[in-house]
């Protein structure tokens, strides 16, 4: 069986961690370490927050979702390996609606599954298959606009937009390097205007679109210096509309304006903070940055200070 997104694009080469992130003065966005969470996951990939602040972690290798409180204490887990209702095959991405529906990109089963906040199965739908490959959904993003659900189809280099009940509305994208094209689209996030930011992994950038798939701008370019990206994976937006991007190979997280101007590297006391394969990231209402460190099997929680 072909190795899917979780293994092809998240495995880190530790040699890259020794490459300097800057050739000049380090630009920092300082943070304060709060705590680590080690819930017993095996190569976790993504994280979402419920309306009350609970954390839902995708533990894909173990084919389950781990639920923790805001302080990181274990609550429960749900899911087992399989293709039945409530079962998973290497899930990768997750998002939660304001109404409390938990949407899971059940990657290996080529579908989206939907649960309530207690892990009860509600319904599921199959993601449309591409012309060459079966669908490879690796992330979902819930919109407040027109009940949209965005799905990144990694292998087919498309974004497919469904109603949250599973009705396909429209799609865009194809393999390529031009604006609006992708080479393995991955994780996504929406801002307050329902504009969507999509990590375009092998094009080493984040692309921004309006809610209907019209290109707006891009963030980042290939490189190993500060302000560039080598293997972007996660994306999050803070309360100042800054766009944070995790780089799994370089082990750093960088901040940009929503138009793509580089602002700084996530630091601790003006020193670059290095993570072990940072992938999914999210920022809560208290401006806490939560980082899924895949190879460390943990979540690192930081307070953004500036």
């Amino acid at each position: 069986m072909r190795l899917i997104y979780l293994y092809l694009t998240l495995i880190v080469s530790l040699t890259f961690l020794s490459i300097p992130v800057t050739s000049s003065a380090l630009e920092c966005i300082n943070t304060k370490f709060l705590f680590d969470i080690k819930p017993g996951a095996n190569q976790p990939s993504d994280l979402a927050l419920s309306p009350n602040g609970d954390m839902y972690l995708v533990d894909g290798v173990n084919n389950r979702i781990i639920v923790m409180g805001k302080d990181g204490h274990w609550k429960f887990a749900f899911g087992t390996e399989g293709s039945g209702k409530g079962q998973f095959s290497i899930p990768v991405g997750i998002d939660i609606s304001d109404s409390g529906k938990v949407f899971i990109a059940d990657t290996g089963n080529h579908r989206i599954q939907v649960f309530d906040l207690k892990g009860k199965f509600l319904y599921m739908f199959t993601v449309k298959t591409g012309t060459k490959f079966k669908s490879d959904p690796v992330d979902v993003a819930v919109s407040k606009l027109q009940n949209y659900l965005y799905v990144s189809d990694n292998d087919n280099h498309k974004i497919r937009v469904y109603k949250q009940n599973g009705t396909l509305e429209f799609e865009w994208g194809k393999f390529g390097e031009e604006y609006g094209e992708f080479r393995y689209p991955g994780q996504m996030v929406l801002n307050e205007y329902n504009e969507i930011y999509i990590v375009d992994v092998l094009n080493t950038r984040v692309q921004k679109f309006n809610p209907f798939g019209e290109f707006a701008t891009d963030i980042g370019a290939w490189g190993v210096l500060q302000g560039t990206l080598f293997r972007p994976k996660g994306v999050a937006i803070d309360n100042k509309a800054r766009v944070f991007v995790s780089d799994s190979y370089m082990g750093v997280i960088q901040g940009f304006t929503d138009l793509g101007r580089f602002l700084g590297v996530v630091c601790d006391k003006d020193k670059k903070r290095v993570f072990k394969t940072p992938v999914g990231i999210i920022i809560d209402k208290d401006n806490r940055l939560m980082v899924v460190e895949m190879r460390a099997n943990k979540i690192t929680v930081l307070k953004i200070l500036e």
Side-chain angles (χ1 to χ4, degrees):
M1 178 178 176
R2 178 189 171 276
L3 294 179
I4 64 170
Y5 172 85
L6 183 63
Y7 297 106
L8 273 177
T9 62
L10 295 184
I11 298 302
V12 69
S13 173
L14 296 178
T15 58
F16 286 106
L17 295 180
S18 64
I19 299 175
V21 76
T22 178
S23 59
S24 58
L26 182 67
E27 297 290 335
C28 277
I29 298 174
N30 275 303
T31 62
K32 178 183 178 181
F33 173 77
L34 297 179
F35 54 90
D36 282 335
I37 307 169
K38 297 182 179 181
N42 186 355
Q43 299 183 61
S45 56
D46 198 12
L47 179 72
L49 300 178
S50 72
N52 72 355
D54 284 348
M55 305 178 192
Y56 287 64
L57 178 69
V58 180
D59 183 12
V61 174
N62 289 320
N63 294 293
R64 64 180 180 174
I65 307 300
I66 298 173
V67 182
M68 297 153 285
K70 186 176 181 179
D71 61 358
H73 72 274
W74 175 284
K75 284 194 167 183
F76 63 95
F78 62 92
T80 58
E81 183 177 4
S83 59
K85 295 178 179 179
Q87 295 182 316
F88 300 109
S89 176
I90 314 293
V92 174
I94 186 171
D95 201 8
I96 300 176
S97 70
D98 288 346
S99 64
K101 287 185 177 178
V102 182
F103 293 83
I104 311 292
D106 186 7
T107 308
N109 284 322
H110 318 290
R111 65 189 183 186
I112 306 302
Q113 293 201 70
V114 188
F115 301 82
D116 69 14
L117 292 173
K118 295 181 179 180
K120 179 184 176 181
F121 174 83
L122 299 177
Y123 60 93
M124 62 186 179
F125 60 91
T126 300
V127 176
K128 179 183 175 182
T129 294
T131 56
K132 292 185 178 180
F133 302 105
K134 288 186 176 181
S135 63
D136 188 33
V138 297
D139 199 23
V140 288
V142 177
S143 176
K144 298 177 182 178
L145 178 69
Q146 297 192 29
N147 211 34
Y148 283 159
L149 179 74
Y150 296 84
V151 179
S152 54
D153 185 347
N154 190 248
D155 274 355
N156 292 293
H157 316 287
K158 287 185 178 294
I159 305 302
R160 306 189 192 275
V161 185
Y162 291 82
K163 291 290 190 179
Q164 291 175 25
N165 65 4
T167 303
L168 180 65
E169 291 289 295
F170 62 95
E171 59 186 44
W172 79 90
K174 64 178 182 178
F175 182 82
E177 301 178 17
E178 301 298 321
Y179 296 145
E181 298 176 346
F182 303 98
R183 290 198 298 160
Y184 301 98
Q187 296 191 1
M188 305 176 289
V189 69
L190 292 124
N191 65 14
E192 60 181 320
Y193 306 108
N194 294 299
E195 297 169 315
I196 187 164
Y197 297 76
I198 302 167
V199 178
D200 186 7
V201 177
L202 289 191
N203 283 328
T204 61
R205 64 187 177 185
V206 173
Q207 293 196 66
K208 176 184 176 182
F209 299 87
N210 77 6
F212 308 104
E214 295 179 357
F215 175 82
T217 191
D218 65 343
I219 296 170
W222 184 90
V224 296
L225 304 180
Q226 62 178 352
T228 62
L229 304 169
F230 192 87
R231 190 64 81 240
K233 286 297 163 59
V235 59
I237 300 173
D238 76 352
N239 57 17
K240 296 180 180 179
R242 295 180 294 187
V243 181
F244 288 76
V245 183
S246 64
D247 192 316
S248 64
Y249 272 23
M250 298 305 297
V252 298
I253 297 172
Q254 301 183 79
F256 301 83
T257 69
D258 63 351
L259 295 177
R261 181 172 63 85
F262 172 68
L263 295 174
V265 179
V266 166
C267 292
D268 186 351
K269 297 178 181 178
D270 293 317
K271 293 183 179 180
K272 175 188 65 177
R273 185 174 184 97
V274 177
F275 303 87
K276 192 171 183 180
T277 324
V279 285
I281 57 176
I282 197 166
I283 299 170
D284 71 6
K285 295 177 181 179
D286 298 323
N287 228 27
R288 298 190 309 169
L289 171 62
M290 304 172 191
V291 182
V292 179
E293 296 191 58
M294 188 193 76
R295 293 301 289 264
N297 295 319
K298 69 177 182 178
I299 303 167
T300 296
V301 183
L302 308 167
K303 177 73 172 181
I304 300 174
L305 299 178
E306 52 187 65

